[in-house]
Each structure stands twice: as C-alpha cells, then as structure tokens.
Amino acid sequence: MVKSMAAKHAIWPRENDIIFNLSERAQRAEKVTGKDNVINATIGALMDDDGKLITMESVYKEYKELPNGEIGAYASLAGQPDYIESVKKIFFREYMPDAHIRVVASPGGSGAIKLALWNYTNIGDEILTSDWFWSPYVSIAEEIDRKVVTYKLFNEGNSFNLTSFKENFLRIADKQERIFTIINTPGHNPTGYSVSDDEWDEILDLSKEVAKDESKKIMIFVDAAYIDFAGDDKVIRKFFRKFSNLPENILVMVGFSMSKGFTAYGMRMGAVIGITSDENIAEEFHYSCVHSCRANWSNCNRGAMAILSNIVKDQEKFNLYEEEKKIYKEMLSVRAKAFVDESEKIGLEILPYKAGFFISIPCDNPKELCEELTKDNVYTIPLKMGLRFAVCAVSESKCKIAPKIIKNAMEYLESKKVATSEV
Ligand SMILES: Cc1ncc(COP(=O)(O)O)c(C=O)c1O
C-alpha cells in the first residue's frame, strides 16, 4: 500500500509546474546550443535581449537605501497606512471611483485573489472566468473547495463574448446566491486581450440587472496584474470610473500587484482593493480580509511597501520610475508588434492581442506542438487550447522569426497527421 500522511483534502496529483519545467529545459538548451540559438518564451517576466531579468533601478535603489528597520520590522496586518494610500493613488490615478474604497495588503496579486475568493464565496460555489485563463485560479479555488467554470472569451469577431459571459453568469445566478467572476484585464494572461470600455458597460449592465434581485450578491474581481504594461496609463484606467455608485449588492474587487509594474516578482507584494457604494460593506471587507491575512501569512513585506510609498510620495522619484518604466513598456510593445505583424504577414492565427506580456496561438494539439517546437529550440507554454508565447522575455529579432517557426511546426504536424490517416 502506498504510504500517505497528508490529509485527504491536501493530496493532489504529483505534477511539477509545467512552466518552470519548460523554462529549465530552455535554459539547458541555451547552455548546449548558445543563447542566440534558443527562443525561451516560457518566462512570465520582463527579460532583456540577453535573457537577463530586468530589475528597475528606480525600484532597487530605493530598496537598498532603506534603513534595516524599515525592512526588518513587522508591518501592520492590513498594510502600512502610507502604503494603503499610495496603492490607491498609483492604481486609480485620475480615475478613482466615487465609492467607499478599502485596500488590504497581500502577498502579490495571488494573495489578493485568495483573500477575495475565500471571503466572498461559499464552499462548492462556481467561480466564473474566461476559457483562456491563468491556471492558478483553479489551484486557489480548488484548494478551498470552489470550482472554476468558464465562458468563451472570444466571439466570432474576436472580441469579448458577451453572449457566452451572460449565459454563464445567469446560469450561476440561477443556482447560487453569490456570483463571483474574475476578469483579468487589461493585458490578459495568456492572450493579451483588454476588455474595452464598451464591453465593461455591457458587463456592468448585466450585473446591475441581476442585482435587482436583492438576494443576489455579485462580486467582480478585476485581476489587474498587467495594468502597468497595458497601454496608455490614462486611457486604460478610464473604466475604473464605471465602478462609481454601483448597487450595494455589487462589490468590485481589484487585485493589485507590484510583481510586474515594479519588477518585484519575488518580493511578493500586492493588495486587494474593495470598491463599494456602502460604507458598512467596505468596513466588512476590511475586517474579513485582515482576519484572513492574520490566519494565513500574518503581515506582508514591509520593505516592499516602503519602496512603493517612497516612490509615490516623492514626485522626483515617481518621475524617474515612470521614465524608466516607459522604456520597458516601449520595449515590450516593439516586441509584441514584431510578433503580431509577422504572424499576420505569414498567416499564423493568433488571438487578439492588445497589450501585456503574452500572445496566444490557438491550436488543437498544444502539447504536441510545444514538444515539436523544442526541436527547433523554441520553448513555449502549452495551454488547453493553444500555446502561450511570452513576448516579455524574447528579443524583438526573435519575436520576428518565431511565428514562421511555429507555423512550419504546425504544418509539419498537420502533414504527419494526414499521412498517418491515409495509411
Ligand atoms: C493573470 C495573473 N494574475 C495574477 C498574477 C499574480 O502575480 P503575483 O502574485 O506575483 O502578483 C499573475 C502572475 O503571473 C498573473 O499572470
């Protein structure tokens, strides 16, 4: 008999994280063949053209100048007061919704998702997100006995599939008291899609319609992990104003993260932001989340909070940070454009990319295609319905040649399939 000590609910399939696995394989290939000959599009972080992690000087200089006590001391459970104010300021900018807003610190955007899911759903509840999604949503949900269900993200015109969203939203509303949906925008992982302002109107109109039934509780979780690399800082924030004066039974929550915007992935700093028209619901949000913080990880990374607060409070530091970020934003959009333009030119189908770290290529055989591509030293991530290519981690010149290699591999596998079926 296989020996086991873990409690039943803690036993999961013994799988290694496929992303880290493929990334290691890519790194081994780089050692054998040389970096120039390998395209490592597995990594979800900004890398320079030589494959080195980009770390913003304006961020790390600030960190290194902090007094030890500002790094080593415990922080307040909800987050340092100046961090809370700074998150509000940098996140909403000119588009603060007219609402009661509370911010609770969390370890990255992942922690924010956990806080929201735990506190605003019941055991067995279905959580709605799109069919292209960041897979840890499932890990976070299933660990606490919730289930992720999906709608089709795209319609035939390759924009937000409101019909599918509505169908699923209403189906859940029919059977559950709580409707919790995660919308990862702008710069969705893995497709690079951003929900447009008009599409937001449609999502909110539907939510308001369902909210007329006062027994329903609607939670919209906006996973904004990529907001800092999702286009013009002002334009992409306009939709926040739409969260003003919503019905009391609609609670909008936002996952804020310092991972991408501050190139601080390992510092594990973020926040969950609650937006509601009711003050009591805002207070409840604060206390529910703070209780969970205490119960799960206690307080968060004080040094990381200080970096953000110091940069936001000091206009000169803020300008330096913004200027530095602009360089990397530009780098990212040049790379993405190279990939998108070349795909169009050679006829490789990709999903509608607007911004962000990743581009997705739909296909029927992602694992097989991913494996085939490794023979050409191209490393991507296989998803359920396609491949994810991390433009954030690949130079412009490699982004330009990758589509052709992918298309060739697809055609090769297709021809092999036809040949086999003819035998
Ligand atoms: C879609 C999405 N949401 C949230 C996160 C959270 O990241 P972190 O916990 O590092 O802030 C990530 C990170 O890769 C992500 O891709």
Side-chain angles (χ1 to χ4, degrees), residues 69-87:
E70 199 47 47
I71 299 173
Y74 281 127
S76 147
L77 284 180
Q80 295 299 91
D82 54 351
Y83 175 73
I84 289 173
E85 283 316 303
S86 302
V87 167

Side-chain angles (χ1 to χ4, degrees), residues 205-218:
D205 284 348
L206 171 66
S207 305
K208 285 178 200 166
E209 195 51 43
V210 173
K212 284 183 184 156
D213 176 349
E214 287 173 11
S215 70
K216 298 293 171 194
K217 297 181 196 301
I218 297 166

Side-chain angles (χ1 to χ4, degrees), residues 40-109:
N40 182 0
T42 61
I43 305 168
L46 278 177
M47 311 297 271
D48 68 16
D49 287 354
D50 299 322
K52 215 168 120 243
L53 184 76
I54 289 170
T55 49
M56 289 170 72
E57 191 51 34
S58 53
V59 170
Y60 289 92
K61 185 169 179 292
E62 192 57 43
Y63 188 65
K64 285 173 186 161
E65 284 176 2
L66 288 175
N68 291 352
E70 199 47 47
I71 299 173
Y74 281 127
S76 147
L77 284 180
Q80 295 299 91
D82 54 351
Y83 175 73
I84 289 173
E85 283 316 303
S86 302
V87 167
K88 267 197 233 168
K89 208 167 151 190
I90 198 170
F91 187 74
F92 293 113
R93 310 216 177 176
E94 292 104 288
Y95 298 100
M96 183 92 72
D98 186 5
H100 295 277
I101 298 175
R102 297 290 185 278
V103 176
V104 176
S106 64

